[in-house]
Amino acid sequence: MIKPEGELKVSFGYHCNCNRGSSDEVSSEYDIAPGMQRASSFSCLSGAAISANATLANTNICNGLIGAEILPSLDSPNSFRKVSSSPSLSRLDILSSSLPSSMSNLSCSPSTPSDLPDCDSYLFSSMSAPSKSEGFLNSMEVQVAGGAAGEDRVQAVCSEENGWLFCAIYDGFNGRDAADFLAGTLYDTIIFHFSSLLQKQKCIESSDSTVSRFVNKERYPFELDANKDLCNDTSKNIKSSESFRHELLDSLQCALSQAESDFLYMVEQEMENRPDLVSIGSCVLIVLLHGEDLYTLNLGDSRAVLATDREDNDMNGSKKLKAIQLTESHTVDDEAERTRILCEHPDDPMTIVGGKVKGKLKVTRAFGVGYLKRKILNDALMGILRVQNLISPPYVSTQPSLNVHRISKGDHFAIVGSDGLFDFFSNDEAVELVNSYILGNPYGDPAKFLVEQLVIKAANRAGFSMEELMDIPAGRRRKYHDDVTVMVIILGSNQRTTKASTCI
């Protein structure tokens, strides 16, 4: 938009071809990989980002594997790239060789019924990832895009054959190492837990057990449709029953917990040489679309916002959309979060200082940031960097907010963005901008358009022209806007096929 080499040329797209037909009904009757339901409910995805923070060199954490092996083609602050399908060898296999003890110290692991010993032995005797033939998101079916903008990292993984779309934004702070670690390892960790979940469901079926016993309904504050059976055909389809949805959310949470355990273990090994690692963290936002179910997991202040029809729309007039925030904001500005953290530390009068947790951090839930979670990591810091009176850690939670939304015909698109987007636009404003753009540019890039509008607004707010703002180098430009990463998922099942094209 500004100039050929400008930083706004940072977008990726994934477009489902429309050879399947124009039916609005979601069908699950296609022949697909065993164990999965072919029921994708999106037509295309676009992503864009812009840097504001200057980034430091990547750490040698895990013997340099994170920088040298995991992110060789993603590690660019100014570009998104389509990445070839990931190899069948999981990054967990690489990491586990350096972490002989961390795998047995998971703070969250899938519960297994005592009356299914064979399943327990099969599922949890080894933490190695599934092979290519075992994984439902295997390398032959997966399309991957990813990139970096300042301290933000982004991933998008699609398997149309299996009806899955995975999107993630890792908004790093105090450095890029935590976001790099998540970008390099979390997806594969999630895949392992999903594969375990599917095998667990098969074991439950073969034992003629009732899956509802595993559902802890108090954990998830939402209503789910429980009218579908778990499996219609055990060799081909797994229906998204209520229990399956709860178990899938459990799998997401377990994968995040494992990633946290592994990361802090590595930080502890490296902190003598790089004590700054103990203060590095990341917000996490995961959006997973499976059939007609849209799952969200978040830590921190990134958001997923759904655009859906307003109930008061006039049938003869132009439709207006309303914005529904699917995620929670974990900051001290949120009254519920502020109350929670104060109640958890009744003996510490300095829990929140200057509008920040222990005077250090505005977000109340985050990945990493070990010095606010473990005393040994806080002690690695010197002088004023160290948190004084760390009375009752952890002060920052790794308990994510989890939700699932059943997509309806009235749902149009979802905006997935880091907090830098919402510094300038409310949920309603973002939805209105995207909707107006899509109506006028049905084949355009709504995510890139949204980033461009943010730059224009940031420039006007600062009293600059757009060109003047963009000429300010990353690092100094952080004064005017944050790193911004945006993805827009266009919902709808009438444009999908087993082969997709990448739109740049």
Side-chain angles (χ1 to χ4, degrees):
M1 177 176 176
I2 300 171
K3 44 190 175 183
E5 67 275 15
E7 287 186 76
L8 290 185
K9 286 182 61 180
V10 286
S11 65
F12 66 83
Y14 185 92
H15 176 67
C16 302
N17 291 324
C18 53
N19 299 334
R20 184 66 66 183
S22 59
S23 172
D24 289 333
E25 296 296 324
V26 176
S27 173
S28 59
E29 301 303 321
Y30 299 115
D31 290 334
I32 56 169
M36 293 304 302
Q37 176 185 358
R38 171 67 168 90
S40 180
S41 292
F42 79 103
S43 59
C44 63
L45 164 75
S46 71
I50 185 169
S51 302
N53 289 303
T55 60
L56 301 175
N58 197 37
T59 180
N60 288 325
I61 202 168
C62 196
N63 299 320
L65 289 175
I66 300 299
E69 300 293 336
I70 291 181
L71 292 170
S73 60
L74 304 186
D75 193 14
S76 169
N78 297 322
S79 66
F80 281 102
R81 299 187 178 105
K82 178 179 179 293
V83 183
S84 59
S85 298
S86 59
S88 58
L89 174 64
S90 171
R91 301 303 183 189
L92 281 175
D93 294 326
I94 299 174
L95 293 173
S96 61
S97 64
S98 302
L99 297 170
S101 62
S102 66
M103 296 303 183
S104 61
N105 295 323
L106 304 182
S107 55
C108 178
S109 60
S111 59
T112 307
S114 58
D115 57 341
L116 293 175
D118 292 338
C119 294
D120 180 72
S121 174
Y122 178 86
L123 291 175
F124 308 115
S125 60
S126 171
M127 285 300 296
S128 61
S131 67
K132 175 180 172 182
S133 61
E134 295 169 339
F136 59 82
L137 283 178
N138 62 61
S139 60
M140 298 302 294
E141 297 176 340
V142 177
Q143 297 290 329
V144 183
E151 293 174 343
D152 282 6
R153 299 293 180 266
V154 64
Q155 288 178 308
V157 186
C158 179
S159 176
E160 283 191 79
E161 290 84 350
N162 289 328
W164 290 82
L165 174 66
F166 171 91
C167 299
I169 293 176
Y170 312 120
D171 182 0
F173 52 86
N174 298 334
R176 52 186 276 189
D177 301 273
D180 281 348
F181 181 88
L182 287 165
T185 65
L186 183 58
Y187 175 73
D188 283 312
T189 309
I190 288 172
I191 293 307
F192 167 78
H193 283 279
F194 282 1
S195 298
S196 297
L197 167 61
L198 296 178
Q199 185 61 40
K200 177 179 176 181
Q201 299 285 9
K202 290 181 180 180
C203 288
I204 293 170
E205 276 191 1
S206 63
S207 301
D208 196 24
S209 299
T210 304
V211 295
S212 60
R213 76 180 76 176
F214 305 115
V215 179
N216 184 348
K217 295 185 177 180
E218 294 180 355
R219 294 184 58 185
Y220 305 109
F222 47 79
E223 297 295 328
L224 297 174
D225 179 9
N227 295 326
K228 292 186 177 180
D229 296 330
L230 175 64
C231 287
N232 184 31
D233 182 338
T234 57
S235 65
K236 289 190 175 182
N237 295 320
I238 289 185
K239 302 297 184 181
S240 292
S241 66
E242 179 180 2
S243 60
F244 179 76
R245 295 171 195 162
H246 283 290
E247 291 285 342
L248 193 150
L249 289 172
D250 279 336
S251 296
L252 286 174
Q253 181 172 347
C254 290
L256 179 64
S257 182
Q258 178 182 326
E260 167 91 351
S261 177
D262 293 345
F263 179 71
L264 292 184
Y265 175 88
M266 294 182 194
V267 168
E268 191 168 337
Q269 309 311 304
E270 296 281 343
M271 66 183 183
E272 183 175 348
N273 295 324
R274 280 201 57 194
D276 62 298
L277 286 175
V278 305
S279 65
I280 292 175
S282 179
C283 297
V284 180
L285 174 56
I286 293 172
V287 173
L288 175 64
L289 186 61
H290 174 220
E292 295 173 280
D293 294 326
L294 194 154
Y295 300 85
T296 57
L297 174 151
N298 77 292
L299 289 172
D301 52 5
S302 297
R303 297 184 199 174
V305 178
L306 177 73
T308 190
D309 286 336
R310 294 172 57 106
E311 295 178 359
D312 58 351
N313 272 330
D314 187 348
M315 296 296 293
N316 297 323
S318 60
K319 283 189 175 181
K320 290 189 176 181
L321 304 182
K322 67 176 179 180
I324 299 176
Q325 186 169 323
L326 301 175
T327 54
E328 299 179 10
S329 295
H330 302 142
T331 72
V332 293
D333 294 333
D334 182 82
E335 184 177 353
E337 280 295 286
R338 187 182 184 94
T339 300
R340 178 189 62 80
I341 194 172
L342 290 174
C343 291
E344 289 179 356
H345 304 278
D347 298 326
D348 188 350
M350 305 293 286
T351 298
I352 298 178
V353 179
K356 297 182 179 180
V357 178
K358 297 301 287 184
K360 299 290 185 179
L361 195 63
K362 189 173 182 179
V363 294
T364 56
R365 306 191 199 191
F367 178 90
V369 65
Y371 76 131
L372 291 171
K373 297 177 179 178
R374 300 181 183 177
K375 186 177 185 302
I376 189 175
L377 299 180
N378 182 51
D379 291 342
L381 294 174
M382 302 292 291
I384 61 173
L385 298 178
R386 181 184 301 173
V387 176
Q388 303 300 318
N389 300 318
L390 199 71
I391 297 174
S392 52
Y395 286 86
V396 175
S397 173
T398 318
Q399 178 74 30
S401 292
L402 299 155
N403 207 344
V404 60
H405 171 78
R406 187 73 166 172
I407 296 172
S408 69
K409 291 183 179 180
D411 297 335
H412 291 251
F413 56 84
I415 300 172
V416 184
S418 58
D419 69 303
L421 172 67
F422 301 101
D423 289 340
F424 289 87
F425 300 119
S426 67
N427 295 342
D428 289 326
E429 289 171 335
V431 164
E432 184 177 355
L433 282 170
V434 171
N435 187 45
S436 62
Y437 178 80
I438 291 174
L439 291 176
N441 303 271
Y443 300 104
D445 187 338
K448 189 174 180 179
F449 171 76
L450 202 52
V451 171
E452 291 169 348
Q453 295 304 302
L454 182 145
V455 174
I456 293 172
K457 193 168 184 177
N460 290 338
R461 183 178 294 181
F464 296 148
S465 68
M466 194 172 175
E467 290 76 11
E468 288 172 334
L469 178 62
M470 293 302 297
D471 283 339
I472 299 174
R476 288 176 55 196
R477 195 168 350 117
R478 178 62 182 87
K479 179 179 178 181
Y480 305 105
H481 68 82
D482 197 357
D483 296 330
V484 180
T485 301
V486 181
M487 285 183 279
V488 177
I489 306 169
I490 308 299
L491 302 173
S493 60
N494 61 325
Q495 291 184 334
R496 52 191 175 89
T497 180
T498 55
K499 186 173 180 61
S501 58
T502 300
C503 306
I504 302 297

